[in-house]
Amino acid sequence: MQFKNPELLYALFLLVIPILIHLFQLRRFQKVEFTNVKFLKSVKLQTRKSSQLKKWITLFTRMLLLACVIIAFAQPFIPNTEDFNEAQETVIYLDNSFSMQAKGSNGTLLNEAIQDIINTLPEDETISLFTNDKTFRNTTVKALKNDLIQLSHSPTQLNYDAAYLKGKQLFLNEGAATRNLVLVSDFQQKGNLLNFEADSTVQLKLVQPKSTLVSNISIDSIYVSNATAETLDLKLKLSNEAEPIDNVTISLFNDEVLLTKSAVDIDKEAEATFTVANNKVINGKLTIDDAGLQYDNTFYFNINSKPKIKVLTINEATDDSFLNRIYTDDEFDFKSFKLNSLNFNLIPEQNLIVLNELETISNALKTALIAFKNDGGKLLVIPADKIDLNSYNQLFSASNSNGYSDQNANEKRITSINYNHPLLANAFYSKVTNFQYPKVAKSYRFSSNSNSVLSYEDGSPFLVGNTNTYAFSAALNSDNSNFKNSQLIIPVLYNLGLQSLKLSKLYYTVGQPNSIAIQTSIGQDDILTLDSDENSVIPLQKTYSKSVLLETEDFPNTAGILKVKNKDNVLQNLSFNYNRTESNLSYYDLNTLADANVESSLATTINNIKSNTTINALWKWFVIFALVFLIIEMLLLKFLK
């Protein structure tokens, strides 16, 4: 037994006071006998013995009463654990990702955890707490209360290893305190094995609240499956995390106007198709009726008016009809000129320029092309059979591209496709391995094999490209190559044309890097903003003569349709959606982890931490004993003669 106020035990010396009083009352008196009371002698002796016994019992009772009162004020206790004297430091990670919208036994999983923190921890207790997007270091529950109540779901989530490392960094590292790191999450399966590095200085406690959610349907994506001059077919993909469900209702809105409804039966996946007018501006919103997670029941998209991509071909080749067939009038503004009839004033207005088998590049053309490239334009070089290497390499050098070396007269086959190159991203549904290999008779070697898109069977590049400049290693005329008849030419050149003007897509994903070209000319000091009804964001941007390139990643951080504005002028709309990775309902089994304390309730974990510093207080028992002895004393004085 130990005492909270041991200095009060010195008051036990006061117990000598009743002893002194008792001894004073028991002092001997001289006997005086009277003849008229001699018959009462035996009665007196018996009464004197009874009186002395009563006084000794009363003395003993009063001393116990006083001792119990003194000990009660000293507050005796028995500790629950051996390390109760150690300081406790607690850091809590609270997962506020969208998967924590799942219903628990008392509201959403996130709200349950917040209520456990508010109701279980003392208001003045110092803790550190962090979420996926906020950090509160060395604060109290009282100071955190309003922030916790207003805590919203985050579109991004720290991976569990990062949360573990960040939590360890938030400890103050002062003294020999016991460090408790509490990770609160539903611990969704992310594809990798869950494992935490062992650390003997940290008590790791995992809280995995249990969800009652057994099904969830989400809208995963939307794309254009077919397009005509009049209509667009929009194909919608849905996924299901439960048993098959019939008649899932899908609604399509333009702004707040309902355009149409549809219903689908879904097993694991399902698709639905909506047909809308082409070349009509649509601020689209798709919704489904689902009682599961709510964030993935709405999907935004935009169809804006599309400017035609300007493509200019500068020829010395006899035939450029293959380019005209790829860059058609419905999407491209295609122009073709012989070098000797070219109007140089057209160059700055283009998005893509193709040098088609020029034998030499004049200084005037080189200067114009470098200025065009620096202003955001794309350049494609198709060499002639015989070229002036020096003039070509001067252009490549200014473009930070691979130059040509000597010419190889051996026939080669084009056998390798770099599917990871940005030019071919999403161009193929699967890797092509059995296509008919095109070939070339004569080709130039590049000074480096880097940035290759297509390669020969010996590994040397056939087509290389970086951000703004692409180059073939051989002429594409029919005498030298059959590449124009290959199935590869369309995705390569078509993608190159599309990427030369980064038109806004149907939608973008919140939290991922996006590059969006806005076709406009603005003043030197002007900036573009992304505006919603609630706020306005200024994204990173690069200004060119005829466009502005917006870079988004961390902002915007909410889903919806935003207006691209130059001051008060609305240029176009952009749609942003949350990533759907939080929609799955598969969770890790934490019981397989070693060196981790696993609970399903944060309140239980907090109480376990508090129990390490709690004690069994005994002062109430001593107060009760004091009252008992007081009652005994009163009874003795009243009834004992």
Side-chain angles (χ1 to χ4, degrees):
M1 185 171 66
Q2 301 184 42
F3 297 89
K4 187 174 182 180
N5 303 311
E7 64 275 5
L8 294 180
L9 295 178
Y10 287 109
L12 291 175
F13 287 115
L14 297 176
L15 295 178
V16 300
I17 295 176
I19 296 175
L20 293 175
I21 294 173
H22 180 76
L23 293 176
F24 178 77
Q25 289 179 344
L26 292 179
R27 65 189 176 181
R28 294 181 177 275
F29 295 93
Q30 185 178 1
K31 299 179 181 179
V32 179
E33 295 186 2
F34 295 90
T35 58
N36 59 339
V37 292
K38 60 181 180 180
F39 297 107
L40 300 177
K41 183 176 181 180
S42 60
V43 176
K44 288 180 180 179
L45 290 174
Q46 185 177 357
T47 303
R48 182 177 297 168
K49 291 179 180 179
S50 300
S51 177
Q52 289 180 352
L53 178 62
K54 175 181 177 181
K55 289 179 179 179
W56 280 110
I57 295 175
T58 303
L59 173 63
F60 183 70
T61 304
R62 286 175 178 171
M63 291 178 65
L64 289 176
L65 168 62
L66 182 58
C68 288
V69 171
I70 294 171
I71 294 174
F73 277 101
Q75 297 190 32
F77 64 88
I78 298 175
N80 284 335
T81 58
E82 295 181 357
D83 57 350
F84 77 101
N85 278 326
E86 293 185 4
Q88 298 284 327
E89 188 177 358
T90 302
V91 175
I92 299 175
Y93 163 65
L94 184 56
D95 181 7
N96 62 331
S97 61
F98 284 115
S99 64
M100 295 288 282
Q101 285 182 342
K103 299 295 183 182
S105 58
N106 188 23
T108 66
L109 300 183
L110 179 61
N111 286 338
E112 283 184 351
I114 291 173
Q115 291 303 315
D116 285 346
I117 293 173
I118 294 174
N119 297 331
T120 310
L121 283 171
E123 285 191 341
D124 58 348
E125 181 164 340
T126 300
I127 64 168
S128 293
L129 183 144
F130 66 102
T131 66
N132 294 312
D133 52 357
K134 294 181 180 179
T135 301
F136 306 95
R137 187 184 181 102
N138 199 23
T139 184
T140 63
V141 176
K142 183 177 181 180
L144 274 177
K145 188 172 182 179
N146 288 335
D147 292 306
L148 289 174
I149 292 174
Q150 299 173 8
L151 186 64
S152 59
H153 292 275
S154 169
T156 58
Q157 183 186 18
L158 294 172
N159 67 61
Y160 301 121
D161 289 337
Y164 178 62
L165 293 175
K166 183 175 181 179
K168 292 201 296 184
Q169 293 171 357
L170 291 178
F171 287 111
L172 298 178
N173 296 324
E174 294 180 356
T178 299
R179 297 189 289 176
N180 301 292
L181 176 57
V182 183
L183 304 184
V184 185
S185 174
D186 57 355
F187 291 97
Q188 270 189 334
Q189 288 188 358
K190 303 295 184 182
N192 299 323
L193 292 176
L194 184 63
N195 189 26
F196 297 103
E197 181 181 353
D199 189 341
S200 60
T201 65
V202 174
Q203 301 292 324
L204 178 61
K205 303 179 186 300
L206 306 180
V207 179
Q208 187 179 36
K210 299 302 181 183
S211 168
T212 59
L213 190 64
V214 295
S215 66
N216 182 56
I217 303 174
S218 68
I219 305 176
D220 289 345
S221 62
I222 186 173
Y223 62 96
V224 177
S225 62
N226 187 39
T228 67
E230 294 80 20
T231 62
L232 289 175
D233 289 340
L234 301 176
K235 184 158 287 189
L236 174 69
K237 283 192 170 184
L238 299 94
S239 64
N240 178 30
E241 291 283 337
E243 297 297 323
I245 300 176
D246 296 335
N247 293 323
V248 177
T249 302
I250 311 169
S251 302
L252 172 62
F253 294 84
N254 181 15
D255 290 320
E256 298 302 322
V257 179
L258 177 64
L259 296 182
T260 184
K261 279 190 174 184
S262 180
V264 296
D265 300 334
I266 182 170
D267 185 1
K268 295 300 182 183
E269 294 180 348
E271 293 183 345
T273 302
F274 293 92
T275 301
V276 297
N278 199 353
N279 296 322
K280 177 183 178 182
V281 175
I282 295 178
N283 298 319
K285 180 175 71 172
L286 289 156
T287 63
I288 58 174
D289 295 330
D290 175 48
L293 300 177
Q294 298 301 301
Y295 88 99
D296 55 10
N297 291 350
T298 303
F299 202 92
Y300 299 94
F301 69 95
N302 267 103
I303 298 177
N304 295 298
S305 57
K306 295 191 298 184
K308 290 187 176 182
I309 301 171
K310 296 181 178 181
V311 179
L312 172 65
T313 300
I314 304 173
N315 292 292
E316 281 188 346
T318 57
D319 181 23
D320 66 350
S321 59
F322 70 100
L323 295 171
N324 197 11
R325 288 194 298 270
I326 294 173
Y327 301 124
T328 54
D329 291 340
D330 57 338
E331 294 182 273
F332 300 92
D333 180 7
F334 180 78
K335 293 182 174 65
S336 178
F337 291 93
K338 292 292 185 179
L339 178 60
N340 54 14
S341 61
L342 174 65
N343 180 0
F344 277 57
N345 292 327
L346 293 174
I347 291 179
E349 301 174 0
Q350 308 305 309
N351 303 115
L352 172 64
I353 293 178
V354 182
L355 302 184
N356 190 19
E357 300 192 22
L358 303 185
E359 292 184 359
T360 186
I361 301 174
S362 66
N363 288 332
L365 180 58
K366 179 181 66 177
T367 301
L369 292 176
I370 292 173
F372 163 77
K373 185 190 71 66
N374 291 336
D375 197 33
K378 281 193 182 293
L379 177 65
L380 173 62
V381 177
I382 304 173
D385 290 329
K386 295 182 180 180
I387 62 172
D388 179 3
L389 280 175
N390 185 49
S391 65
Y392 269 81
N393 287 334
Q394 286 179 2
L395 176 62
F396 289 140
S397 177
S399 303
N400 296 319
S401 303
N402 297 339
Y404 292 135
S405 58
D406 57 326
Q407 190 177 46
N408 186 340
N410 297 325
E411 184 178 287
K412 292 183 178 182
R413 293 191 307 165
I414 303 163
T415 60
S416 179
I417 303 172
N418 183 3
Y419 295 97
N420 296 322
H421 195 280
L423 181 63
L424 299 181
N426 303 318
F428 299 92
Y429 290 109
S430 60
K431 292 187 177 182
V432 182
T433 57
N434 58 349
F435 62 94
Q436 184 176 0
Y437 301 127
K439 58 186 179 179
V440 298
K442 294 183 294 185
S443 61
Y444 293 92
R445 294 186 178 92
F446 285 104
S447 58
S448 170
N449 290 347
S450 61
N451 297 320
S452 64
V453 182
L454 303 175
S455 302
Y456 298 113
E457 53 192 340
D458 63 358
S460 59
F462 170 65
L463 172 64
V464 299
N466 54 25
T467 305
N468 290 324
T469 305
Y470 287 80
F472 286 97
S473 65
L476 301 185
N477 60 68
S478 300
D479 295 333
N480 188 60
S481 174
N482 63 350
F483 183 73
K484 290 191 296 184
N485 301 322
S486 167
Q487 57 192 357
L488 293 177
I489 190 170
I490 294 178
V492 168
L493 295 185
Y494 181 74
N495 274 8
L496 185 59
L498 288 182
Q499 293 182 16
S500 63
L501 175 60
K502 293 185 178 179
L503 297 172
S504 59
K505 299 187 294 187
L506 288 176
Y507 64 90
Y508 298 90
T509 302
V510 171
Q512 293 184 358
N514 301 296
S515 296
I516 310 166
I518 307 299
Q519 299 307 298
T520 185
S521 297
I522 62 175
Q524 183 177 0
D525 297 326
D526 291 342
I527 57 173
L528 300 186
T529 60
L530 294 175
D531 290 10
S532 65
D533 294 336
E534 292 81 19
N535 50 44
S536 178
V537 175
I538 301 175
L540 294 175
Q541 49 198 274
K542 299 177 183 178
T543 303
Y544 299 102
S545 62
K546 53 185 178 295
S547 66
V548 177
L549 185 66
L550 304 182
E551 303 283 347
T552 69
E553 184 169 3
D554 296 331
F555 294 97
N557 56 6
T558 56
I561 298 177
L562 304 182
K563 299 174 182 177
V564 182
K565 298 176 69 174
N566 180 14
K567 297 179 181 177
D568 294 329
N569 182 29
V570 179
L571 303 178
Q572 67 177 74
N573 293 328
L574 300 175
S575 291
F576 291 86
N577 292 291
Y578 296 123
N579 196 310
R580 269 28 187 185
T581 56
E582 295 291 309
S583 296
N584 88 74
L585 302 180
S586 300
Y587 308 102
Y588 289 111
D589 181 8
L590 302 185
N591 294 318
T592 60
L593 298 177
D595 302 323
N597 191 333
V598 180
E599 294 286 351
S600 61
S601 169
L602 179 57
T604 302
T605 299
I606 293 174
N607 287 329
N608 289 340
I609 293 174
K610 289 168 61 178
S611 69
N612 292 331
T613 59
T614 57
I615 56 176
N616 291 324
L618 304 178
W619 66 270
K620 294 180 181 179
W621 287 104
F622 282 91
V623 171
I624 294 172
F625 292 151
L627 292 174
V628 170
F629 290 128
L630 177 61
I631 294 172
I632 292 173
E633 180 185 359
M634 294 173 63
L635 294 175
L636 287 173
L637 294 175
K638 185 173 182 179
F639 296 107
L640 187 60
K641 302 299 182 180

